[in-house]
Amino acid sequence: MIISYEEMLNKTIEFYNSLDISFPKDKNELAVASLTMRSYSKNYKDKYGKEIYNHSSMATLGDSMCGAFLLLETYKPSRSKGDLTDDKVAVRNDHFNVIGKKLLEGHLFWDNNDLDAVKAYANGFEALIGFISLVDVNKAQELFLKYYNGQI
């Protein structure tokens, strides 16, 4: 079901508040986009005639941030370049799918077959980390490490 933008924004703020993440009003559009999947944004435009962003590009940002956060956590000067590269490879979609589903189920704006994609929840988790990085990189790192290390 496609809901109004105001409802989306209210649900988005409520979700981020549950994570103890606040953001200024000028980031509202990005916050909503962080939880909006591709088909939903297309169908929103069809229904309301207004384009809204989806989380695709934010997931790309989040993917990079997740890799950086993991490397910052595991870096030691004694470790080889190969070891660090192996750490980066450890940031995998199958792991993020599990984390994303636990964290985001019932909170993503989706339609049609958005959630059928192999890495739907992984992309959602990466978009979440991407958005939080834009407003508070330290909180993003803290949240990433909490969920990545399984301290849910």
Side-chain angles (χ1 to χ4, degrees), residues 12-54:
T12 299
I13 291 169
E14 186 178 298
F15 171 70
Y16 279 107
N17 283 342
S18 76
L19 298 176
D20 197 28
I21 304 293
S22 59
F23 48 89
K25 287 185 180 193
D26 69 338
K27 300 291 187 206
N28 283 352
E29 187 175 34
L30 292 175
V32 171
S34 74
L35 299 177
T36 304
M37 300 185 82
R38 198 173 282 176
S39 287
Y40 191 95
S41 66
K42 179 195 174 307
N43 292 334
Y44 181 93
K45 182 179 180 183
D46 292 344
K47 180 174 181 175
Y48 292 105
K50 181 181 182 255
E51 192 166 338
I52 60 172
Y53 296 112
N54 64 60

Side-chain angles (χ1 to χ4, degrees), residues 8-138:
M8 292 174 72
L9 178 58
N10 288 336
K11 288 178 179 279
T12 299
I13 291 169
E14 186 178 298
F15 171 70
Y16 279 107
N17 283 342
S18 76
L19 298 176
D20 197 28
I21 304 293
S22 59
F23 48 89
K25 287 185 180 193
D26 69 338
K27 300 291 187 206
N28 283 352
E29 187 175 34
L30 292 175
V32 171
S34 74
L35 299 177
T36 304
M37 300 185 82
R38 198 173 282 176
S39 287
Y40 191 95
S41 66
K42 179 195 174 307
N43 292 334
Y44 181 93
K45 182 179 180 183
D46 292 344
K47 180 174 181 175
Y48 292 105
K50 181 181 182 255
E51 192 166 338
I52 60 172
Y53 296 112
N54 64 60
H55 71 197
S56 296
S57 62
M58 208 169 301
T60 302
L61 169 62
D63 179 56
S64 294
M65 296 305 293
C66 289
F69 293 151
L70 185 62
L71 289 178
L72 287 169
E73 183 72 7
T74 61
Y75 178 80
K76 289 179 180 52
S78 60
R79 298 192 70 218
S80 72
K81 180 179 176 182
D83 289 341
L84 294 173
T85 300
D86 290 345
D87 285 352
K88 251 174 51 177
V89 171
V91 180
R92 298 189 27 203
N93 284 323
D94 55 343
H95 191 74
F96 285 175
N97 262 333
V98 172
I99 296 169
K101 188 167 185 172
K102 285 180 184 176
L103 187 59
L104 294 166
E105 192 167 39
H107 298 288
L108 292 172
F109 302 116
W110 62 277
D111 202 29
N112 297 333
N113 60 350
D114 276 330
L115 293 178
D116 294 340
V118 172
K119 51 186 196 166
Y121 284 108
N123 286 340
F125 179 68
E126 291 167 344
L128 174 83
I129 295 298
F131 171 69
I132 299 170
S133 295
L134 291 171
V135 295
D136 187 337
V137 72
N138 293 323

